[in-house]
Amino acid sequence: MKPKITIKPDLKQLSYYNQKYDQALKILSLNNIDLRNFLADKISKNVFLSYQVDQQTYEYLANTQQYKPSLYQNFISQLPYIDIKLDYNLFNFLFSNLDSNGYFKNTFDELCKLSKQSSAKLKKIISVLQEMDPIGCFSFSLSDCLKAQCKASPMACSETAEILCDHLNMVAEGNIKAIAELSGLSFDEIIEGIKFIKTLNPKPAINFAEDANIILPEVKITRSDDKLDISLINDDLNIQFNDMDASQLNNALKAQRYEALAIMNSIKKRNLTIMQITNALCTIQQAFFLYDEPLSYCTLQDVSNITGLHPSTISRAIQNKAFEYKNKYYLYKMLFNAKGNKKISGNTILHAINTIIENEDKAHPLSDEKIKNILEKQNIYISRRTINKYRDENNIPHASARKRLKNR
């Protein structure tokens, strides 16, 4: 009798956590102030690191917590980059009429009367202010606030969510049948739109501090003739690595030494990444810095094409960071402008959109988000809302309407 051989494989799923990589990403995302806080904490625990800060920074670290800008400072820093010229006195008046959630305390008619502005002009100004970060402030109601966030979102389901903002009471009651009858949306579209609405912020101003703390810029940009000079501010951060003979260390000290080396390398990579991004932005926005012209069109992908860095890395690297220019501090995100001057003409964009729609599957029309993704493969980078604008101006129905027209 032949013996039976039974194989019992012992399968295990192993997951490894790369602490060094996670720490490098954290250091990259920290702004100058947060990085100093982070290093101060590490130095107090790691014998291989020493850190001597200047008196001003020491006083700041001793008396303040993590940097958190005020809502007013946040908006003021964005005003030079909006589409319209806005008198600061008028902005201050409008801002003073906001409550702690970012909503107007007065009605639109009251604001027109108090500001002595025409209805058309004030409506245009408020619509632009609603697009500033945090999106949805300067609204008169919850519906207005959520609509502004829907319009700014690149996601396809935001189109449906924007329609649902006119039926928030029914959405709260879960009356999907009544919504479908009034809006003409399908059951699945309504469910998708409701899920998206739940991700929006009904109180966009609530996460900002009442008073602003100081912010330290990462780099200083100076202009001389037709040339821009970029220099890191406190690039070494006065941090030192105090090495010891590794053969004489126990396991605990070896772990600290490894961590200290990783921190030093991460700081160098962080500074190099910031310089790469700054150089790319200065190249793209050269006309803005040198000749005081409006900002050019610029996205994360544009910077990625120049630096070779992934867009997510760029997004992480500019988070809450600032640069110094003409003795003023500006947030990096101000240089990213999806409404700037595009090198691609409007006729080219319209032709590309028409071609995509003409060749789409008529039974499954493409949403604006999917059209946006196809255009990106053709090196045309525009927002989903811009596609919506081109469609409306040329009487091209949205995806759901094109499908209904086909079924008729």
Side-chain angles (χ1 to χ4, degrees), residues 82-101:
I82 61 177
D83 290 343
I84 59 175
K85 289 185 177 181
L86 178 60
D87 179 73
Y88 276 71
N89 291 329
L90 177 57
F91 171 79
N92 288 333
F93 165 75
L94 294 174
F95 183 85
S96 68
N97 279 275
L98 297 182
D99 62 20
S100 59
N101 294 325

Side-chain angles (χ1 to χ4, degrees), residues 244-259:
M244 302 180 191
D245 186 357
S247 63
Q248 304 297 320
L249 304 178
N250 59 30
N251 289 336
L253 288 175
K254 286 181 179 179
Q256 282 198 6
R257 183 177 183 274
Y258 178 82
E259 180 190 45

